[in-house]
């Protein structure tokens, strides 16, 4: 699954530019865009500033007394507006339960952490009469075939059906335990030896979504039977899980409804009774009732269609291959489609893209990518794609970024629909998301993890393969370098907290299952795979993967199965032990390095935001006791050849054959660790960068910047060394290093602004402009009629980066041009070039008038012809408003969803945090509406985890105390992601007190 909605961006230190990627995040997290805004965020290595969005413009300095009074006034006004507007709206808005309680004080249920290896805190238990005590299903019965009849009524918003489950007895038992959630069950029977009988009793445990069919007679080993159940449920529920209804409008004004599914991780049970665990694989034979002018689609092709009743049709689908329940999918819609038949390994393969009629002009790009990608994977894995079709389905309401259902991959519209004229970032996002989900067709669908504790086997691999596949299928994009910019940063942002968790982690209940769909399973998993590939070589790695897939096809595996296969292919018996140190331990190392003649001294320690020696939250180890087996690459100024050293002890020395001036570790960023160079080595590296930076590759330059920022962040080196190294960037012309430099400067500017240090803001912006100005004037705004089609992919990204950075630094030439283009778009309908829309729309809202805001809002609400990705950009821009009333109206939209879709909730809540007023009002809103928001989405899910990134806007101990009180009042203290956000916020407050003064002093001493 791909979340691909990036407000789960790297740390809370992200700088939003005009590249796009989404929410991440299962589906592709990871791949993770401003929620689903699909924008790519850019890391600035300063602590939790939550700079996903543009800051407000710099205002004239206020003295401290006036500025504090202004903030207090804003708070009072904001509070009064919340009370007034919310109460007013509440009088008009009612849900099906009778009303919208704006200031609900109901406490949510107690949640549990995902990382409790020795005991299950707050374990969920059933009543005493329920015969099964474990959360996991008993293994005495195994399903072989589900025969499902399903009738979704789009008009009434309900569905009903029947399921016949053919069962095989593995161990003697007198009960059948399986899953159901939110369904009404009836007519439960057992067919055995041609005789239908009723069960002795049926018992329920709603806490665990279980029910037990107690039999009158015991089933013995190898006996078979069929369990029959009738069921019905609600299609019009608020959540986007299970089987649900989505609505959309065409530009013609017509309104339509469709039914669709989202079953991963544990929501198949919300559509039909089933054994809803990944290791209970079975085949599925389905039939669906639909209106005559609707189309039903499932994993397999339609085998035949019959008349049903009252003009309805019943479609019968071919029986599926053996697969897990979470991979089953159904859709019933009036969508149109385009198709292409390609010659695949098993013969002709039909590939189709389904979307609303208004979006079909945006489907061709996805179709091209899909055909190229599926053929690439067949050739790479040397295993044919085993199904007779591949469908891609673009859904208007979809919580994740995409979902890898076997043969029917479902997507959020912004993750699959674009054109050849779409922005570079959007095209990248679509290609990545398709590559991610298609990788799952082999790695996750054909071979599946036994249990969710090894989710990284699915998601880490797919998160690696998305970049590998796009880089190979679109070589002119030079895309593999982007892997480190995103996945390494995203993973370390979570992994640097003591409230992280190992890649392989105990999972014991539904909240814990949802919680492991995070950057550790996705991005860190991808980074560990990248490190393996870097160490043993891509060809050897892929040989191991092919052997693994062949050996375990249609079965389930554990972590060691993959590593064993790769170790055998590499003929490296130590690989299993090496990988174990990365998959079973939390966090990542930082290697300190010094050079004395030909002696290199190395020391590894866990990188953490805090220096305390408390036991690790997850596994009981002390931070300083953790040791990784690190395949460490290096080169020197005297020998540029990439060499290897296995650092498997806390400290070690290695001796070179010569006496270099400097040494660089982690060549081209292949390893998942940070390097802290001592002052002598760093000074020599800096001198070389200033003299001739091309001695280092682009990725090595980016890695050096990344390392000094990470080292300075936790106080290992003064920020002086950061500014010294960045001084070379006036000569830099490549996207990756400049992204880091620009992100850092803009993020620190925002932090200074929040401290009312306008003089230092001006100095830092002046420094930033001096770095980027020359390159900006040569490669910035295109001419109005310029298509940029003649530019390389990387040059397009660089141009949009330069414009975003310079407008963010309030460079008058940039902001005035952005406003000019905004006015031409608003007043004369002149379209903005896709690569620059984000900057233009945000600048128009940030520096424009109330009339400009009204225009953008009306455009967002009423323009049915606008592509989904552009609508998200408008929503992001609207979040930059400094108008308290407009902010409150947007906040209320996350509850009512009158104009903002439910899937875009986290885009609003994270986007509003970009301004100080928006952050304060968002925090107030979350405190009063937490129960409703938390219940609307699955507890512990990626969506709910993003809400609390508001902690990253806190700047003092008063804010921290309020956050801790909120956590206590809502019983969230045992949720790992909550503790992690608190940890980040505490560190940020500490950083503001200790590190920001260093930056202020440097600016006052060096910028005049």
């Amino acid at each position: 699954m791909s979340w691909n909605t990036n407000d789960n961006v790297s740390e809370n230190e992200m700088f939003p530019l005009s590249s796009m990627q989404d929410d991440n995040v299962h589906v592709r997290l990871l791949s993770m865009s401003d929620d689903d805004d699909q924008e790519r965020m850019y890391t600035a290595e300063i602590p939790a500033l939550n700079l996903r969005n543009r800051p407000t413009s710099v205002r004239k300095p206020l003295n401290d007394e006036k500025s504090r009074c202004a903030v207090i006034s804003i708070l009072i006004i904001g509070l009064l507006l919340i009370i007034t507007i919310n109460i007013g709206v509440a009088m008009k808005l009612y849900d099906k339960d009778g009303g919208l309680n704006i200031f609900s004080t109901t406490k949510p249920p107690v949640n549990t952490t995902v990382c409790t290896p020795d005991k299950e805190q707050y374990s969920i238990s059933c009543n005493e009469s329920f015969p099964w005590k474990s959360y996991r299903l008993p293994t005495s019965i195994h399903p072989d075939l589900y025969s499902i009849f399903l009738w979704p009524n789009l008009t009434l918003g309900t569905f009903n059906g029947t399921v016949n489950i053919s069962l095989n007895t593995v161990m003697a038992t007198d009960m059948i335990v399986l899953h159901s959630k939110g369904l009404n069950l009836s007519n439960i029977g057992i067919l055995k030896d041609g005789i239908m009988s009723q069960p002795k009793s049926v018992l329920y445990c709603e806490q665990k979504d279980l029910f037990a069919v107690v039999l009158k007679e015991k089933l013995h080993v190898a006996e078979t039977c069929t369990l029959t159940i009738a069921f019905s449920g609600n299609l019009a529920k608020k959540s986007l899980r299970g089987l649900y209804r989505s609505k959309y409008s065409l530009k013609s004004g017509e309104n339509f409804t469709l039914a669709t599914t989202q079953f991963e991780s544990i929501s198949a049970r919300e559509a039909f009774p089933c054994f809803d665990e990944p290791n209970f694989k079975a085949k599925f034979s389905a039939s669906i009732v639909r209106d005559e002018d609707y189309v039903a689609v499932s994993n397999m092709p339609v085998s035949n269609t019959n008349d049903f009743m009252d003009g309805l049709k019943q479609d019968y689908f071919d029986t599926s291959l053996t697969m897990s329940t979470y991979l089953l999918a159904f859709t019933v819609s009036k969508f149109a489609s385009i198709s292409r038949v390609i010659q695949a390994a098993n013969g002709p393969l039909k590939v189709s893209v389904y979307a609303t009629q208004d979006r079909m002009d945006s489907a061709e790009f996805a179709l091209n990518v899909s055909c190229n990608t599926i053929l690439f994977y067949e050739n790479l894995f040397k295993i044919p794609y085993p199904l007779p079709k591949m469908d891609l389905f673009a859904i208007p309401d979809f919580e994740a970024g995409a979902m890898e259902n076997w043969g029917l991959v479902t997507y959020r519209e912004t993750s699959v629909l674009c054109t050849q004229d779409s922005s570079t970032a959007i095209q990248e996002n679509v290609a990545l998301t398709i590559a991610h989900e298609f990788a799952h067709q082999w790695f996750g669908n054909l071979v599946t993890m036994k249990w969710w504790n090894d989710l990284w086997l699915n998601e880490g691999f797919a998160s690696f393969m998305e970049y590998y596949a796009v880089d190979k299928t679109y070589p002119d994009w030079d895309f593999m370098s982007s892997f480190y910019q995103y996945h390494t940063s995203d993973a370390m942002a979570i992994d640097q907290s003591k409230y992280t968790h190992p890649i392989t982690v105990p999972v014991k209940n539904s909240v814990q299952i949802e919680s492991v769909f995070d950057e550790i399973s996705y991005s860190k998993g991808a980074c560990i795979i990248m490190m393996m590939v870097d160490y043993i070589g891509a060809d050897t790695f892929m040989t191991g993967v092919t052997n693994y897939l062949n050996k375990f096809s249609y079965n389930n595996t554990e972590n060691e199965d993959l590593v064993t296969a790769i170790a055998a292919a590499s003929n490296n018996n130590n690989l299993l032990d090496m990988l174990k140190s990365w998959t079973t331990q939390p966090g990542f190392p930082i290697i300190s390095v010094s050079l004395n003649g030909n002696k290199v001294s190395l020391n590894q320690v866990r990188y953490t935001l805090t220096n305390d020696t408390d036991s690790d939250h997850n596994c009981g180890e002390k931070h300083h006791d953790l040791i990784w087996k690190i395949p460490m690459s290096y080169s020197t100024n005297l020998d540029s050849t990439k060499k290897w050293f296995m650092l498997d002890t806390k400290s070690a020395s290695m001796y070179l054959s010569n006496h270099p001036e400097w040494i660089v570790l982690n060549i081209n960023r292949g390893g998942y660790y940070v390097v802290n160079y001592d002052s002598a080595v760093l000074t020599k590296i800096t001198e070389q960068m200033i003299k001739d930076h091309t001695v280092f590759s682009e990725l090595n330059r980016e890695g050096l910047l990344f390392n000094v920022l990470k080292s300075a962040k936790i106080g290992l080196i003064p920020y002086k060394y950061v500014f010294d190294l960045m001084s070379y960037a006036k000569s830099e012309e490549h996207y990756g290093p400049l992204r880091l430099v620009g992100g850092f400067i803009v993020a620190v500017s925002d932090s200074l602004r929040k401290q009312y240090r306008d003089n230092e803001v001006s100095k830092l912006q002046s420094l930033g402009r001096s770095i980027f100005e020359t390159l900006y004037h040569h490669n910035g705004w295109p001419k109005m009629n310029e298509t940029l089609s003649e530019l390389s992919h990387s040059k397009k990204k660089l141009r949009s980066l330069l414009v975003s950075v310079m407008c963010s630094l309030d460079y008058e030439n940039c902001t005035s041009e952005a406003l000019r283009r905004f006015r031409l778009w608003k007043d004369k309908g002149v379209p903005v070039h896709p690569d620059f829309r984000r900057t233009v729309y945000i600048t128009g809202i940030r520096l424009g008038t109330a009339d400009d805001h009204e225009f953008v809002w009306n455009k967002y609400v009423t323009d049915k012809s606008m592509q989904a990705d552009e609508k998200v950009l408008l929503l992001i821009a609207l979040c930059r408003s400094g108008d308290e009333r407009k902010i409150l109206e947007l906040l209320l939209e996350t509850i009512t969803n009158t104009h903002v879709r439910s899937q875009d909730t986290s885009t609003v809540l994270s986007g509003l945090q970009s301004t100080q007023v928006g952050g304060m009002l968002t925090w107030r809103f979350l405190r009063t509406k937490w129960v409703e928001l938390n219940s609307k989405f699955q507890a512990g899910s990626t969506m709910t985890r993003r809400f609390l990134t508001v902690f990253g806007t806190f700047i003092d101990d008063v804010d921290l105390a309020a956050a801790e009180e909120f956590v206590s009042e809502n019983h969230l203290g045992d949720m790992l992601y909550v503790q992690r956000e608190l940890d980040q916020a505490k560190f940020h407050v500490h950083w503001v007190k200790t590190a920001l003064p260093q930056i202020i002093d440097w600016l006052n001493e060096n910028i005049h």
Side-chain angles (χ1 to χ4, degrees):
M1 185 159 55
S2 169
W3 279 104
N4 195 17
T5 56
N6 268 340
D7 36 303
N8 53 309
V9 287
S10 307
E11 325 196 333
N12 286 322
E13 309 167 349
M14 308 311 284
F15 171 58
L17 300 173
S18 58
S19 177
M20 294 186 64
Q21 164 93 340
D22 1 25
D23 123 46
N24 68 212
V25 152
H26 259 62
V27 232
R28 232 183 117 249
L29 244 179
L30 246 168
S31 286
M32 306 124 255
S33 346
D34 220 25
D35 169 28
D36 316 310
D37 69 24
Q38 330 237 303
E39 297 190 332
R40 225 350 171 172
M41 305 299 184
Y42 296 74
T43 307
E45 275 301 330
I46 66 170
L49 297 182
N50 204 355
L51 301 177
R52 299 178 182 75
N53 305 298
R54 263 296 301 135
T56 53
S57 57
V58 179
R59 294 174 175 80
K60 293 181 180 179
L62 299 171
N63 63 44
D64 286 349
E65 182 68 26
K66 289 183 178 180
S67 60
R68 282 168 174 75
C69 289
V71 172
I72 291 170
S73 299
I74 289 172
L75 282 168
I76 294 172
I77 293 170
L79 179 58
L80 291 173
L81 282 170
I82 287 175
I83 295 171
T84 303
I85 295 174
N86 284 358
I87 291 176
V89 174
M91 295 174 66
K92 300 178 181 179
L93 299 176
Y94 296 88
D95 59 22
K96 67 182 179 64
D97 296 318
L100 179 66
N101 182 8
I102 297 297
F103 292 98
S104 172
T105 57
T106 305
K107 299 293 189 298
V110 173
N111 293 318
T112 63
T113 175
V114 304
C115 211
T116 52
D118 298 321
K119 64 179 181 177
E120 186 175 353
Q121 296 181 345
Y122 300 102
S123 60
I124 303 171
S125 59
C126 302
N127 58 58
E128 288 297 322
S129 63
F130 196 76
W132 184 250
K133 304 306 178 185
S134 173
Y135 180 78
R136 299 281 298 275
L137 293 175
T139 56
S140 52
I141 291 283
H142 196 282
D144 291 329
L145 173 68
Y146 292 82
S147 297
I148 303 171
F149 164 80
L150 190 63
W151 184 359
N153 191 316
L154 298 178
T155 303
L156 297 179
T158 61
F159 64 89
N160 61 72
T162 58
V163 60
N164 299 325
I165 312 175
S166 300
L167 301 172
N168 180 46
T169 309
V170 180
M171 292 182 289
T173 181
D174 61 356
M175 64 178 176
I176 305 169
V177 182
L178 62 163
H179 291 105
S180 174
K181 181 179 180 181
L183 300 176
N184 300 310
L185 307 183
S186 61
N187 298 330
I188 299 176
I190 300 96
L191 180 64
K192 182 172 176 288
D193 298 329
I195 300 173
M196 178 68 74
S197 63
Q198 302 303 308
K200 179 179 179 181
S201 61
V202 179
L203 304 173
Y204 295 88
C205 175
E206 292 185 4
Q207 298 93 324
K208 296 181 181 179
D209 304 335
L210 297 176
F211 70 102
V213 180
V214 182
L215 307 175
K216 295 176 181 177
E217 296 181 359
K218 181 175 288 190
L219 290 170
H220 298 285
V221 175
E223 281 192 315
T224 61
C225 67
T226 299
L227 176 65
T228 67
I229 308 172
F231 59 89
S232 62
N234 181 15
L235 196 63
K237 57 191 176 184
K238 292 182 179 179
S239 77
L240 305 180
R241 302 282 180 111
L243 176 61
Y244 67 94
R245 184 173 66 177
S246 175
K247 296 182 178 181
Y248 64 95
S249 300
L250 299 180
K251 57 187 176 184
S252 63
E254 295 177 279
N255 298 314
F256 293 96
T257 303
L258 71 139
T260 188
T261 57
Q262 171 55 40
F263 288 165
E264 192 178 24
S265 55
I266 53 172
S267 295
R269 65 192 66 175
E270 298 183 43
F272 64 100
C274 57
F275 296 80
D276 201 12
E277 292 182 3
N279 59 322
F280 283 83
K281 286 191 169 186
K283 294 182 178 181
F284 297 84
S285 176
S287 70
I288 298 178
V289 174
R290 60 171 174 84
D291 284 349
E292 186 173 13
D293 55 347
Y294 274 65
V295 176
V297 184
S298 188
N299 305 76
M300 301 297 289
V302 173
S303 58
N304 62 79
T305 300
N306 294 336
D307 293 332
F308 186 67
M309 56 181 288
D310 297 331
L312 298 175
K313 299 291 184 179
Q314 183 174 3
D315 290 327
Y316 294 83
F317 296 89
D318 289 338
T319 300
S320 75
L321 301 178
T322 302
M323 64 184 188
S324 302
T325 50
Y326 76 87
L327 296 171
L328 187 64
F330 310 106
T331 64
V332 179
S333 73
K334 272 195 170 183
F335 278 14
S337 66
I338 60 171
S339 302
R340 185 180 303 161
V341 176
I342 59 175
Q343 192 60 39
N346 279 346
L349 173 67
K350 185 178 181 180
V351 182
S352 304
V353 180
Y354 288 80
T356 65
Q357 293 90 327
D358 284 353
R359 300 287 183 257
M360 291 313 299
D361 60 342
S362 300
E364 186 72 28
F365 182 85
L367 186 61
N368 291 335
V369 172
S370 299
C371 294
N372 292 336
T373 303
I374 204 163
L375 293 175
F376 168 76
Y377 282 143
E378 282 197 329
N379 182 62
L380 180 68
F381 299 139
K382 297 178 175 57
I383 297 174
Y385 174 70
L387 274 66
K389 72 173 181 72
M390 170 61 83
D391 294 330
L392 295 80
F393 207 87
I395 301 170
D397 286 298
F398 199 67
E399 184 176 343
M403 177 60 212
E404 67 267 20
N405 315 300
W406 214 354
L408 172 55
V409 183
T410 46
Y411 297 83
R412 186 177 291 206
E413 286 184 329
T414 49
S415 295
V416 71
L417 299 180
C418 73
T419 69
Q420 293 292 346
D421 296 326
S422 295
S423 73
T424 306
I426 293 170
Q427 290 182 12
E428 286 183 355
N429 178 64
V430 169
L432 280 172
T433 308
I434 291 172
H436 183 105
E437 304 310 328
F438 280 24
H440 277 311
Q441 306 301 302
W442 286 264
F443 221 99
N445 298 6
L446 182 65
V447 179
T448 313
M449 76 268 154
K450 286 184 178 178
W451 183 240
W452 300 107
N453 60 304
D454 280 327
L455 176 66
W456 85 282
L457 290 176
N458 281 19
E459 300 302 346
F461 184 84
S463 297
F464 166 77
M465 285 307 307
E466 65 189 19
Y467 281 87
Y468 189 84
V470 172
D471 187 64
K472 296 297 184 183
T473 53
Y474 293 89
D476 56 317
W477 287 11
D478 188 26
F479 201 61
M480 202 64 203
S481 61
S482 300
F483 176 94
Y484 312 100
Q485 298 163 8
Y486 304 141
H487 279 313
T488 303
S489 296
D490 288 348
M492 287 185 175
I494 302 299
D495 226 13
Q496 67 189 0
S497 171
K498 66 181 179 180
Y499 295 100
T500 185
H501 64 82
I503 287 179
T504 298
V505 60
V507 174
K508 300 178 181 180
N509 58 46
S510 59
V511 174
Q512 292 177 356
I513 291 171
E514 285 296 321
S515 295
V516 296
F517 283 88
D518 65 1
E519 291 84 349
I520 300 302
S521 297
Y522 283 74
S523 291
K524 183 177 180 178
C527 289
I528 302 311
I529 290 172
M530 171 59 81
M531 188 163 59
M532 267 198 293
V533 171
D534 189 45
Y535 183 49
I536 68 175
D539 291 343
T540 300
F541 175 79
M542 291 305 171
T543 298
V545 167
T546 297
N547 295 340
Y548 167 83
L549 292 172
N550 276 312
K551 181 177 180 179
F552 296 104
S553 291
Y554 305 104
N555 285 308
N556 299 83
T557 61
E558 295 176 311
N559 176 47
E560 289 191 1
D561 296 320
L562 172 62
V563 180
T564 300
I566 295 171
S570 66
N571 208 18
N572 186 341
N573 295 326
N574 296 320
L575 197 63
L576 189 61
D577 285 340
M578 186 195 87
L579 264 294
K580 187 175 181 180
S581 71
W582 294 94
T583 59
T584 62
Q585 294 184 152
F588 60 94
I590 180 170
I591 301 175
S592 294
V593 56
S594 62
L595 179 63
N596 185 8
N598 71 332
K599 180 183 178 181
V600 182
S601 299
L602 305 164
N603 182 72
Q604 66 162 297
V605 67
R606 181 178 176 184
Y607 185 102
T608 57
L609 296 179
T610 56
N611 293 321
D612 63 74
T613 56
D614 293 340
S615 293
D616 178 73
H617 174 77
N618 307 94
C619 306
E621 298 109 330
K622 300 284 188 179
H623 295 325
H624 58 265
D625 289 339
L626 298 178
I627 297 175
W628 288 262
K629 297 182 185 296
I630 308 172
M632 188 191 78
S633 60
Y634 68 94
S635 66
T636 71
N637 63 299
L638 297 179
D639 187 355
S640 60
T641 306
K642 182 177 181 180
K643 292 184 169 60
W644 293 94
F645 180 83
M646 182 60 71
L647 180 59
D648 55 4
T649 57
K650 188 169 186 61
S651 299
S653 298
M654 64 179 186
Y655 294 87
L656 306 175
S657 60
N658 46 40
H659 294 68
E661 289 188 342
W662 49 258
I663 185 171
V664 172
L665 274 56
N666 198 10
I667 302 305
N668 290 330
R669 303 192 68 183
Y672 184 66
Y673 54 89
V674 174
V675 181
N676 177 41
Y677 298 96
D678 76 354
S679 58
V681 175
L682 187 54
T683 297
K684 290 296 184 181
I685 289 174
T686 300
E687 290 173 355
Q688 179 63 66
M689 289 274 276
I690 294 171
K691 179 182 178 181
D692 180 11
H693 65 274
T694 62
V695 168
F696 306 99
S697 69
E698 178 187 350
L699 274 175
N700 278 336
R701 299 196 300 272
E702 183 182 311
L704 288 168
L705 287 165
F706 183 80
N707 284 319
V708 296
L709 286 167
K710 294 295 277 189
S711 295
K713 174 178 177 174
I714 59 174
L716 295 180
I717 60 173
Y719 270 95
K720 168 190 178 300
Y721 289 100
V722 173
F723 288 109
D724 287 348
L725 183 62
M726 281 197 329
S727 64
Y728 98 91
K730 291 181 180 180
S731 303
E732 181 62 75
E733 295 182 350
H734 287 82
Y735 173 83
L738 289 174
R739 178 192 63 88
L740 277 177
V741 173
F744 171 76
I745 291 174
V746 172
V748 175
S749 296
D750 245 47
S751 189
L752 289 168
R753 185 178 292 111
K754 291 177 180 178
Q755 300 296 314
Y756 308 105
R757 307 294 305 219
D758 289 358
N759 181 50
E760 286 77 15
V761 169
S762 178
K763 290 182 176 183
L764 186 55
Q765 289 185 331
S766 176
L767 173 64
R769 290 193 288 264
S770 72
I771 292 173
F772 288 92
E773 188 170 17
T774 300
L775 198 59
Y776 163 79
H777 282 294
H778 283 92
N779 298 277
W781 291 104
K783 297 177 181 178
M784 292 300 297
N785 59 350
E786 191 176 354
T787 64
L788 305 186
S789 58
E790 73 284 357
L791 296 179
S792 67
H793 192 80
S794 58
K795 183 67 75 171
K796 292 176 183 177
K797 291 175 66 174
L798 176 63
R799 293 187 74 158
S800 60
L801 168 70
L802 292 169
V803 168
S804 291
V805 169
M806 293 300 272
C807 281
S808 298
L809 295 175
D810 293 315
Y811 185 49
E812 200 279 334
N813 176 278
C814 188
T815 55
S816 62
E817 179 63 16
L819 283 172
R820 186 180 76 85
R821 294 182 184 228
F822 179 87
R823 299 272 185 262
L824 287 172
W825 169 68
K826 173 191 169 189
D827 299 335
K828 298 183 179 180
V830 178
V832 180
H833 188 281
D835 281 342
F836 303 93
R837 281 175 183 158
R838 185 181 182 283
T839 298
V840 168
Y841 295 162
I842 287 175
T843 305
I845 293 296
R846 184 169 69 91
L847 302 179
T849 65
D851 181 65
D852 293 331
H853 186 286
E854 191 69 18
F855 173 81
V856 172
W857 173 250
N858 288 335
K859 191 81 171 171
Y860 175 82
V861 170
T862 63
D863 192 342
K864 305 301 182 185
S865 63
M866 183 176 289
Q867 296 294 330
D869 55 82
E870 187 172 2
K871 287 198 69 170
V872 172
L873 291 180
L874 292 182
L875 184 59
I876 293 167
L878 289 165
C879 291
R880 306 316 198 269
S881 172
D883 186 308
E884 292 91 340
R885 182 176 295 274
K886 300 299 184 186
I887 291 171
L888 288 167
E889 289 172 353
L890 266 182
L891 287 169
L892 284 174
E893 276 288 340
T894 65
I895 297 294
T896 64
N897 297 126
T898 306
H899 302 296
V900 176
R901 289 186 179 274
S902 177
Q903 66 178 15
D904 296 322
T905 295
S906 63
T907 299
V908 173
L909 294 181
S910 62
L912 287 171
Q913 298 167 29
S914 60
T915 67
Q916 196 155 0
V917 176
M920 287 187 289
L921 293 180
T922 299
W923 170 224
R924 170 64 177 168
F925 180 78
L926 281 171
R927 293 179 73 177
T928 58
K929 300 304 297 176
W930 174 254
V931 174
E932 286 183 63
L933 288 168
N934 197 44
S935 62
K936 189 175 181 179
F937 303 98
Q938 186 84 27
S941 68
T942 300
M943 189 74 82
T944 57
R945 292 200 300 270
R946 290 172 183 160
F947 298 160
L948 293 188
T949 57
V950 69
F951 290 173
T953 64
F954 298 162
I955 59 175
D956 57 35
D957 293 327
V958 175
D959 291 332
L960 285 179
E964 290 174 331
E965 181 184 5
F966 167 80
V967 169
S968 175
E969 288 177 349
N970 290 281
H971 307 289
L972 299 173
D974 290 297
M975 291 293 289
L976 198 62
Y977 78 94
V978 177
Q979 291 297 333
R980 192 160 55 228
E981 291 296 339
L982 278 175
D983 192 41
Q984 298 270 17
K986 290 175 184 177
F987 176 75
H988 178 222
V989 171
H990 168 77
W991 184 90
V992 168
K993 293 177 182 178
T994 60
L996 197 58
Q998 288 183 46
I999 295 175
I1000 291 171
D1001 290 345
W1002 188 92
L1003 289 170
N1004 288 327
E1005 291 172 6
N1006 293 276
I1007 307 297
H1008 304 289

